[in-house]
Amino acid sequence: MVLKSLLSTLLYRRLALILVPAIALSLASFNTARAAESKEYSIDPVHENTILQDVIDLPKEDPAIQREELSPHTVEEWDKPLPSASAQVGPSNATQGAISIGEAVRLALDNNPQITSAIHQSRAAKYGKYSRVGALLPTVTGGYSYSYSETPRAEGSAPTQANTRYTLFFNVRQDLFVGFRNISNLMRARFSEEQAKLNRYNQELSLLLSVQENFLNLLRAREDVRSAQDSVTRLESQLKVTRAFYDVGLRPRLDVLQAEVDLAEAEDTLLQAENSVDTQRARMNTLLQLNLGDDVDYVGELKYEPFPLSLEACLERAYKNRPDLLIFKKAVDIARQDSRVAASTLYPQITGEFDWSQFGDKPDLQGSPYVNLNRYDQWSLQIGLTWDLFDFGQNFFTWRQTREAEKGAQADVASQYLEATYDVKSRRLQIDETAKRIAVAQKRVEQGKEGYRMAVARYQAQVGTNNDVLDAQSRLTSAESTLTEALVDYEIAVANLYVSIGAKNVDLALVAQ
């Protein structure tokens, strides 16, 4: 016995002398490789303090998420049959008052199913994080079993064991050290949750921009209708004057025909403008989840106000607030955790298990008369270490693969910064361009009105010709259309710039704060 104990002690010591330096050497070489690769490629960190905390705190600020409600689109609601075509074409029972551009954006954010989908994805990521938390804790397994068996024995001999056996057992298993795999998975789930919230914010910005652009296009169509109506009114008046002159023989029949042709063209333009209004209204109703037949009064006006932010201020805000930049940054964090998960296979794996069981010949688990034991339960505690010492580089190269993916994600962040810079720069230049176009178009409208007034006066005084009046009218209509287009393009450019800097400007107010 003494010799056996001595041999066991020597064996354990030799194993310790082999394993401890091997573990230390493996950890040192692995950390050295990580440090070297971290220096190999690096980029400037993203300044994400402005918006990230607000996005992370969305569940605290959003009562719908706190109450696990997604009104008006709940999960059960999507199981209902879709509305009929007649219900969509006809007006709904809900009354809608005057809706401004800000109110339209708020309604869309509250009702649009795209945002509901983003909320579900964010909630799924949150539950995924909770699942990873559970992986850090011990797992408990329990069971109750029954078995029946017969064993051969000599004829006439007494049985030595019962034919039935009942067993109650529990197992507790805990990962003591798995190469930081569980911690890395938890961090990855946390970054995925933050990324899902950023995706939701990004979708909100996209929906906001879509509503604002279509609202402004609706105002453009209305201005086109007003301009076309004014054109029709002017041409009708000119046609009356031309006919009166023709009736008394002062003008030829050709002038009347020209006036009638120009009036017909103006009426055709008016019909097209009115159809454009109906189309834009239907699109707005769709974005706001209203029926196509709802005659909603969308109110607003096209106006020009100088944009208060400089290019430098816009770039600074974009670098801090753009959700797509933060999403790409979170992708780097996720890739880094993936590499750590892959690296966990290079470490030894240590687990602990505790087993307890109790048996009996009867369901009450009180042992067996054939077994002379004072206790009917048993337990064991086991701690095991496993380590893949050599696998032809499979785990190592898998880790290297994830490291390269991480560096690729870092390069994507740098690329996205360049794209964001160009996006903001181009939007800011577009604002400057449209502002200059507005100034030119306003002067052109003033000159067009004065030219038309003078042409009409000359024609009525029998000094000018009918062609002079029609040309002046056409130039005035074209100038009004150009001004409307410039105003709409300016406000659309402003809306695009606010989205490009990551600002949710619901009312499209030009503020410098």
Side-chain angles (χ1 to χ4, degrees):
M1 291 295 293
V2 175
L3 180 59
K4 183 177 180 180
S5 176
L6 180 60
L7 290 175
S8 299
T9 303
L10 291 175
L11 179 60
Y12 291 149
R13 288 182 178 179
R14 290 179 64 87
L15 288 175
L17 290 175
I18 295 174
L19 291 178
V20 171
I23 294 174
L25 180 60
S26 176
L27 294 178
S29 60
F30 178 66
N31 292 329
T32 302
R34 287 184 60 86
E37 290 196 358
S38 63
K39 295 179 181 179
E40 181 181 344
Y41 186 91
S42 61
I43 59 173
D44 294 333
V46 180
H47 301 288
E48 52 184 315
N49 296 329
T50 303
I51 190 176
L52 180 57
Q53 189 58 42
D54 294 337
V55 175
I56 295 176
D57 292 337
L58 275 175
K60 301 178 183 178
E61 301 175 1
D62 195 336
I65 298 181
Q66 286 182 342
R67 298 190 304 270
E68 295 292 328
E69 296 177 1
L70 296 176
S71 179
H73 302 298
T74 60
V75 176
E76 293 78 7
E77 187 170 336
W78 298 113
D79 294 333
K80 298 179 180 179
L82 294 176
S84 61
S86 59
Q88 282 293 318
V89 173
S92 62
N93 296 327
T95 58
Q96 298 288 343
I99 297 180
S100 64
I101 188 170
E103 293 169 343
V105 171
R106 294 184 184 93
L107 283 173
L109 293 177
D110 290 339
N111 300 333
N112 196 278
Q114 294 180 357
I115 305 303
T116 303
S117 174
I119 293 175
H120 282 296
Q121 293 173 7
S122 178
R123 187 191 296 181
K126 178 184 67 174
Y127 291 145
K129 182 184 69 174
Y130 293 161
S131 174
R132 293 305 181 182
V133 172
L136 294 172
L137 303 176
T139 59
V140 181
T141 305
Y144 186 87
S145 65
Y146 162 78
S147 64
Y148 179 87
S149 62
E150 292 186 0
T151 57
R153 64 175 186 270
E155 185 176 356
S157 62
T160 58
Q161 63 181 23
N163 293 334
T164 59
R165 184 180 182 90
Y166 298 86
T167 305
L168 175 67
F169 62 91
F170 289 97
N171 172 270
V172 180
R173 188 181 185 278
Q174 174 66 54
D175 291 331
L176 302 178
F177 181 76
V178 288
F180 309 105
R181 182 180 67 243
N182 292 334
I183 292 292
S184 298
N185 281 328
L186 174 59
M187 294 302 297
R188 187 190 191 284
R190 178 184 175 186
F191 291 138
S192 296
E193 180 188 15
E194 295 172 0
Q195 192 179 55
K197 293 174 182 177
L198 289 168
N199 276 322
R200 174 188 173 184
Y201 187 79
N202 196 31
Q203 290 192 15
E204 288 179 347
L205 288 180
S206 298
L207 179 61
L208 173 145
L209 180 61
S210 179
V211 172
Q212 290 179 342
E213 286 182 341
N214 282 277
F215 194 97
L216 293 173
N217 285 326
L218 175 60
L219 297 183
R220 184 210 302 263
R222 287 178 176 175
E223 286 297 316
D224 290 342
V225 168
R226 183 195 60 78
S227 178
Q229 289 174 342
D230 292 343
S231 177
V232 168
T233 301
R234 291 192 294 264
L235 290 173
E236 287 177 344
S237 176
Q238 178 62 19
L239 179 59
K240 290 179 181 179
V241 174
T242 303
R243 280 177 175 171
F245 285 164
Y246 169 72
D247 291 340
V248 296
L250 297 178
R251 291 294 175 183
R253 175 65 176 168
L254 180 61
D255 288 355
V256 176
L257 295 177
Q258 287 179 337
E260 289 176 345
V261 169
D262 285 350
L263 176 60
E265 291 180 354
E267 290 174 344
D268 180 73
T269 302
L270 176 60
L271 292 174
Q272 294 180 24
E274 290 174 344
N275 180 72
S276 179
V277 169
D278 294 338
T279 302
Q280 289 297 326
R281 182 184 291 111
R283 179 56 181 161
M284 286 298 302
N285 289 357
T286 302
L287 291 173
L288 273 58
Q289 296 295 293
L290 302 176
N291 285 357
L292 296 178
D294 288 341
D295 188 13
V296 183
D297 184 17
Y298 295 103
V299 296
E301 60 177 350
L302 298 174
K303 57 183 179 179
Y304 168 74
E305 294 180 10
F307 190 73
L309 296 177
S310 64
L311 176 60
E312 182 179 358
C314 291
L315 288 174
E316 182 179 355
R317 295 190 179 196
Y319 293 153
K320 293 180 180 179
N321 297 348
R322 277 182 68 119
D324 58 335
L325 293 179
L326 298 179
I327 288 172
F328 273 82
K329 186 66 168 72
K330 290 302 162 189
V332 174
D333 294 330
I334 291 173
R336 182 175 297 114
Q337 299 305 319
D338 287 338
S339 69
R340 291 176 179 175
V341 171
S344 66
T345 59
L346 303 176
Y347 291 96
Q349 312 292 306
I350 304 176
T351 59
E353 287 194 50
F354 173 79
D355 292 285
W356 177 89
S357 63
Q358 184 169 332
F359 71 95
D361 295 346
K362 297 180 180 179
D364 57 2
L365 306 173
Q366 295 301 313
S368 172
Y370 301 102
V371 181
N372 187 15
L373 296 175
N374 295 327
R375 297 180 58 182
Y376 315 122
D377 62 340
Q378 58 184 6
W379 63 272
S380 64
L381 178 63
Q382 177 183 355
I383 298 179
L385 181 148
T386 60
W387 195 1
D388 294 336
L389 299 177
F390 186 72
D391 60 358
F392 293 93
Q394 177 182 352
N395 294 331
F396 176 78
F397 288 118
T398 299
W399 167 67
R400 292 288 298 184
Q401 177 185 10
T402 57
R403 286 293 293 151
E404 292 300 321
E406 178 186 349
K407 290 190 291 184
Q410 290 175 332
D412 290 339
V413 173
S415 174
Q416 192 66 15
Y417 263 86
L418 296 176
E419 291 297 326
T421 303
Y422 165 74
D423 187 34
V424 174
K425 174 69 174 178
S426 62
R427 303 296 183 188
R428 191 64 182 83
L429 290 176
Q430 190 175 10
I431 288 179
D432 295 338
E433 174 204 341
T434 52
K436 296 175 182 178
R437 285 171 51 198
I438 289 174
V440 173
Q442 288 174 340
K443 183 180 296 186
R444 182 180 172 186
V445 170
E446 293 176 0
Q447 295 172 345
K449 289 180 179 179
E450 181 64 17
Y452 176 75
R453 185 189 65 79
M454 293 179 62
V456 171
R458 287 171 56 84
Y459 182 78
Q460 292 176 351
Q462 297 296 309
V463 178
T465 65
N466 183 55
N467 288 335
D468 294 338
V469 176
L470 297 179
D471 290 343
Q473 196 284 139
S474 177
R475 286 192 294 268
L476 176 57
T477 301
S478 176
E480 291 175 342
S481 176
T482 301
L483 177 59
T484 299
E485 184 177 358
L487 287 171
V488 172
D489 290 345
Y490 176 79
E491 295 212 39
I492 289 179
V494 170
N496 276 277
L497 181 56
Y498 273 117
V499 171
S500 69
I501 65 176
K504 190 190 291 185
N505 192 342
V506 175
D507 297 307
L508 204 56
L510 299 180
V511 293
Q513 290 77 15

